[in-house]
């Protein structure tokens, strides 16, 4: 039975990702398989501009993907700046399981993926290419807060990374993160999502955290690790996320006015909380009771 199991994800499309993960949990599967399935759903089924095959490219027109996966016992793997591979999260899992390493980047990551049987394919959509050509006219780089939700299609949702956290019926936890990063980033730029401790951190003893938004702020603050450590000190998931946002603001008060940073946390008891620097962040929760919950960042589940 899947009682006690729960999966949570960033953003509204997290509902769909959760349901893909829930199929695994409901069948008695483990948290690690569940988050991989959820992230794969986002990478291939979803078409937004910040995850997987429909992502916007970097400033040179290259779609470059970042992903990570972590189990609550400390196993982890990630890939950064990976091109032409549909499922970076699964490559990250292979890095974790088939190599003595944690992280592979760029050409080496792609070479490894191909050796592992992943197919090279052109992913950039005509729509993303068109958006990039449009962007080239100004080359103005200014990530906007929840841009699409505010109806500013010119700088479409730079904040729609999938971060997913799960606990299975055996109390084992896992998390995954997958993204195409910030649109129009410098070629070679790596965000927080593939950096263990920044975009994702999971510890069975305490809980798990993930992040979305401008990754530089998460890296600066080792943010997902920070959220987990704050929970270890006794804070609830929501309070830990709020405190971590406070840290981001204190470090860069000026920048914090215009950048979005969002945290989502799940503790080992299954309690969920989130917090974001600015309005607009939502997260999805799925368990045996309800498979389609979508909550505002200030609500606790
Ligand atoms: C990044 N954190 O690459 C990612 C972008 C993101 O929702 O979260 N988008 O910085």
């Amino acid at each position: 039975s899947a009682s006690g199991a729960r999966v949570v994800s960033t953003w509204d499309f997290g509902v769909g990702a959760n349901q893909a993960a829930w199929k695994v949990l409901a069948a008695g599967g483990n948290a690690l398989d569940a988050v991989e399935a959820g992230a794969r759903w986002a990478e291939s089924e979803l078409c937004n501009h910040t995850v997987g095959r429909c992502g916007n490219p970097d400033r040179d027109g290259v779609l470059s993907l970042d992903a990570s996966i972590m189990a609550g016992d400390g196993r982890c793997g990630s890939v950064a700046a990976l091109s032409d591979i549909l499922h970076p999260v699964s490559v990250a899992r292979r890095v974790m399981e088939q190599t003595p390493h944690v992280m592979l980047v760029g050409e080496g990551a792609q070479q490894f993926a191909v050796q592992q049987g992943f197919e090279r394919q052109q992913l950039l959509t005509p729509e993303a290419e068109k958006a990039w050509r449009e962007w080239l006219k100004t080359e103005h780089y200014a990530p906007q807060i929840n841009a699409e939700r505010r109806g500013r299609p010119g700088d479409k949702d730079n904040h729609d990374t999938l971060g997913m956290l799960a606990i299975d019926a055996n109390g084992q936890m896992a998390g995954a993160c997958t993204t195409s990063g910030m649109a129009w980033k410098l070629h070679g730029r790596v965000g927080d999502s593939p950096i263990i401790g920044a975009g994702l951190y999971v510890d069975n003893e305490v809980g798990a955290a993930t992040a979305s938004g401008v990754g530089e702020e998460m890296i600066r603050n080792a943010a997902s690790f920070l959220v987990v450590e704050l929970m270890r000190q006794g804070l609830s998931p929501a309070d830990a996320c709020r405190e971590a946002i406070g840290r981001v603001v204190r470090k860069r008060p000026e920048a914090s006015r215009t950048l979005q940073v969002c945290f989502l946390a799940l503790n080992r008891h299954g309690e969920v909380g989130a917090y974001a620097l600015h309005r607009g962040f939502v997260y999805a929760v799925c368990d045996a009771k309800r498979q389609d919950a979508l909550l505002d960042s200030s609500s606790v589940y």
Side-chain angles (χ1 to χ4, degrees):
S1 113
S3 83
R6 182 166 284 171
V7 56
V8 303
S9 292
T10 53
W11 303 112
D12 46 5
F13 60 80
V15 172
N18 281 353
Q19 288 169 358
W22 185 252
K23 280 190 192 142
V24 175
L25 293 171
N30 66 49
L32 190 64
D33 289 339
V35 297
E36 184 185 3
R40 286 176 66 94
W41 178 89
E43 287 168 349
S44 55
E45 298 307 312
L46 181 71
C47 202
N48 86 16
H49 302 284
T50 316
V51 181
R53 67 184 177 87
C54 291
N56 278 332
D58 64 24
R59 61 185 311 149
D60 294 347
V62 179
L63 178 61
S64 124
L65 306 172
D66 293 344
S68 62
I69 191 162
M70 186 168 192
D73 59 8
R75 286 176 298 147
C76 53
S78 75
V79 288
L82 175 64
S83 289
D84 301 336
I85 301 287
L86 182 59
H87 286 302
V89 72
S90 294
V91 183
R93 184 164 180 179
R94 298 288 178 93
V95 173
M96 172 175 111
E97 291 177 340
Q98 309 290 335
T99 81
H101 310 305
V102 163
M103 187 172 194
L104 293 179
V105 307
E107 249 177 71
Q110 192 189 78
Q111 194 181 322
F112 170 74
V114 169
Q115 280 163 2
Q116 289 286 317
F118 293 84
E119 200 189 320
R120 277 192 58 165
Q121 51 186 284
Q122 169 64 259
L123 296 176
L124 193 67
T125 61
E127 192 197 0
E129 187 177 342
K130 203 174 145 219
W132 170 64
R133 294 202 182 280
E134 206 46 47
W135 176 79
L136 280 179
K137 291 179 185 165
T138 59
E139 299 199 359
H140 178 59
Y141 184 82
Q144 292 179 358
I145 299 166
N146 315 319
E148 185 139 10
R149 286 174 186 76
R150 291 179 163 195
R152 289 185 198 146
D155 193 1
K156 275 188 185 160
D157 50 353
N158 237 334
H159 306 284
D160 278 333
T161 291
L162 177 79
M164 173 178 273
L165 310 170
I167 184 164
D168 63 31
N170 294 321
Q172 299 293 305
M173 303 190 78
C177 221
T178 187
T179 188
S180 55
M182 308 300 289
W184 334 130
K185 61 193 175 185
L186 283 176
H187 185 60
R189 180 265 189 185
V190 172
D192 59 313
S193 306
I195 297 179
I196 299 301
L200 177 69
Y201 199 73
V202 187
D203 184 341
N204 278 335
E205 283 184 2
V206 177
T210 189
S212 184
V214 179
E216 281 73 9
E217 306 311 308
M218 281 63 119
I219 297 172
R220 229 184 282 287
N221 291 283
S224 290
F225 181 73
L226 173 62
V227 170
V228 170
E229 292 311 301
L230 288 168
M231 292 194 288
R232 193 189 306 275
Q233 290 165 24
L235 268 61
S236 69
D239 288 345
C241 291
R242 190 176 311 123
E243 177 59 31
I245 290 287
R247 192 79 65 92
V248 169
V249 174
R250 287 200 294 283
K251 197 149 281 177
R252 301 221 307 145
E254 275 305 310
S256 295
R257 289 193 194 156
T258 54
L259 302 179
Q260 178 63 304
V261 174
C262 320
F263 297 130
L264 174 61
L266 170 72
N267 70 17
R268 69 187 180 92
H269 307 295
E271 293 160 348
V272 189
Y275 205 74
L277 192 44
H278 298 279
R279 296 160 154 274
F281 178 55
V282 291
Y283 67 96
V285 184
C286 173
D287 57 25
K289 243 190 281 161
R290 240 192 111 176
Q291 278 93 60
D292 62 353
L294 187 64
L295 286 86
D296 182 79
S297 63
S298 54
S299 339
V300 172
Y301 189 86

